[in-house]
């Protein structure tokens, strides 16, 4: 019987396990092999921009955690560039992000866990039941189903949390989007976090983030529409030799992105 079972070993679950692991018997479960690098297993990379926002920086500071050098990637970003295509508006504002390698960040947080925490990576929690004041967890690892018990169950299993869905079936979920990201190798660094508002692509937004000699291009797309053609359209519009929006203030951005995507 564990005191606490935490489902999800991302920043939330890993931090909680670190803070509670010395004085409790803690089980930390994640379906992904989070300690593998993308080179070892690309399928386990998280779809994330890897920009540590000021509120996250503040929380790390409160927890007494400074970032190790190996987690940082260049360039460091403090300018956000917003482009609203339909309204032909381009604006810049200041916001201090820390540009990080998201996989390394998660692995660093896991490396801080006390040895007493029982960490099971590559282990999926399928469901749970509450009986006699404790939780019975159905877990699945290497094709085998097994059971663990815990007095307290914590759902740190991300935006589509299975724990939340099962514990609060009538709680409304926010509108869903599908995020697609692609990495382009480039010599040319765009030193901004760029956000692109284009209703032809999505009613949310698309983005570009420089990461060393790569440009990360991404979009949050509606699951109601086919996502691949929308993402291809984003890339096509961005890399068109004569920009579609030539007389638009975003032309400079598009030219820059054209060069990056070539
Ligand atoms: C496209 C995109 C870009 C983003 N960019 C940024 C950014 O630039 N900066 C920023 O600060 N935030 C960004 N975010 C948000 C950020 O990724 C989340 O806020 C952060 O990951 C939340 O941490 P978490 O620990 O709560 O959840 P997660 O990091 O999502 O961790 C949840 C973990 O639970 C595991 N899990 C889920 N279900 C189960 C299950 N049933 N059994 C076992 N394990 C399970 C998952 O494998 C995962 O590792 C982005 C999100 C998306 C989608």
């Amino acid at each position: 019987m564990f005191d606490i079972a935490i489902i999800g070993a991302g920043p939330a679950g890993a931090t909680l396990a670190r803070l509670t692991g010395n004085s409790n018997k803690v089980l930390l479960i994640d379906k992904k092999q989070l300690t593998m690098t993308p080179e070892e297993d690309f399928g386990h990379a998280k779809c994330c921009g890897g920009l540590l926002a000021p509120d996250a920086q503040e929380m790390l500071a409160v927890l007494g955690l400074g970032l190790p050098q190996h987690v940082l990637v260049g360039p460091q970003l403090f300018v956000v560039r917003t482009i609203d295509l339909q309204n032909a508006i381009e604006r810049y504002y200041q916001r201090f992000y820390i540009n990080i390698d998201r996989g390394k960040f998660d692995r660093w947080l896991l490396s801080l866990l006390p040895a007493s925490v029982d960490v099971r990576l590559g282990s999926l929690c399928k469901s749970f039941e509450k009986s006699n004041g404790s939780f019975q967890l159905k877990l699945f690892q290497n094709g085998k189903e097994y059971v663990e018990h815990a007095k307290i169950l914590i759902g740190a299993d991300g935006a589509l949390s299975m724990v939340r869905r099962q514990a609060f079936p009538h709680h409304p979920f926010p509108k869903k989007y599908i995020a697609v990201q692609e990495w382009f190798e480039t010599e040319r660094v765009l030193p901004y976090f760029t956000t692109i508002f284009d209703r032809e692509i999505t009613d949310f937004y698309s983005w570009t983030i420089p990461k060393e000699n790569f440009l990360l291009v991404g979009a949050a797309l509606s699951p109601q529409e086919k996502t691949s053609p929308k993402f291809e359209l984003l890339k096509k519009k961005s890399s068109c030799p004569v920009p579609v929006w030539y007389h638009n203030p975003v032309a400079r951005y598009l030219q820059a992105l054209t060069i990056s995507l070539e």
Side-chain angles (χ1 to χ4, degrees):
M1 173 72 78
F2 288 92
D3 295 321
I4 305 173
I6 304 169
I7 313 302
T15 300
L16 183 67
R18 183 172 63 82
L19 297 174
T20 56
N22 274 326
S23 45
N24 296 276
K25 199 176 167 201
V26 173
L27 173 66
L28 181 62
I29 296 282
D30 204 293
K31 63 183 177 185
K32 293 187 189 231
Q33 291 289 357
L34 292 175
T35 48
M36 282 189 179
T37 63
E39 292 75 35
E40 288 166 338
D41 189 345
F42 190 73
H44 286 108
K46 276 186 188 169
C47 190
C48 178
L51 292 180
L52 204 64
D55 45 354
Q57 295 171 28
E58 196 182 326
M59 189 47 67
L60 285 175
V62 168
L63 292 167
L65 294 176
L67 286 175
Q69 178 84 29
H70 77 275
V71 165
L72 305 176
V73 294
Q76 287 310 313
L77 302 172
F78 61 92
V79 184
V80 181
R81 184 182 202 177
T82 61
I83 293 168
D84 177 342
L85 284 168
Q86 273 74 41
N87 294 303
I89 298 170
E90 181 191 37
R91 294 283 184 274
Y92 296 83
Y93 66 91
Q94 185 192 43
R95 187 165 158 88
F96 288 100
Y97 287 99
I98 300 178
N99 202 357
I100 58 166
D101 179 315
R102 175 64 205 263
K104 287 182 180 168
F105 178 72
D106 281 21
R107 290 195 286 283
W108 167 63
L109 288 176
L110 283 171
S111 76
L112 304 176
L113 291 178
S116 52
V117 175
D118 189 338
V119 185
R120 313 245 180 107
L121 300 179
S123 195
L124 171 76
C125 181
K126 287 173 89 173
S127 62
F128 66 87
E129 274 172 33
K130 195 174 180 189
S131 65
N132 299 327
S134 68
F135 293 90
Q136 178 179 294
L137 311 177
K138 267 196 190 154
L139 304 169
F140 199 75
Q141 187 161 25
N142 298 330
K144 281 193 190 146
E145 196 169 291
Y146 67 106
V147 168
E148 291 290 1
H149 294 87
K151 291 179 205 159
I152 295 172
L153 172 65
I154 307 279
D157 48 345
L160 280 177
S161 171
M162 175 283 295
V163 176
R164 182 176 56 178
R165 235 178 308 138
Q166 215 191 302
F168 308 102
H170 303 299
H171 193 79
F173 259 75
K175 188 177 168 189
K176 275 188 204 164
Y177 285 86
I178 294 178
V180 180
Q181 287 194 145
E182 197 168 336
W183 293 69
F184 294 91
E185 201 159 5
T186 177
E187 297 287 298
R188 196 186 159 102
V189 173
L190 296 169
Y192 325 105
F193 168 31
T194 303
T195 56
I196 307 152
F197 296 86
D198 177 0
R199 293 208 159 266
E200 217 185 335
I201 308 291
T202 174
D203 63 353
F204 208 93
Y205 72 95
S206 311
W207 58 86
T208 71
I209 301 169
K211 298 267 174 194
E212 300 292 348
N213 55 333
F214 284 89
L215 184 72
L216 187 55
V217 179
L221 302 166
S222 169
Q224 269 80 49
E225 298 179 273
K226 286 206 168 93
T227 49
S228 285
K230 288 285 178 186
F231 193 67
E232 288 307 312
L233 180 63
L234 170 69
K235 287 194 296 181
K236 194 171 157 221
K237 280 179 134 188
S238 307
S239 57
C240 182
V242 179
V244 178
W245 311 277
Y246 188 72
H247 298 295
N248 188 299
V250 302
R252 273 178 299 140
Y253 159 77
L254 292 166
Q255 276 158 358
L257 193 57
T258 300
I259 293 160
S260 302
L261 296 186
E262 278 166 2

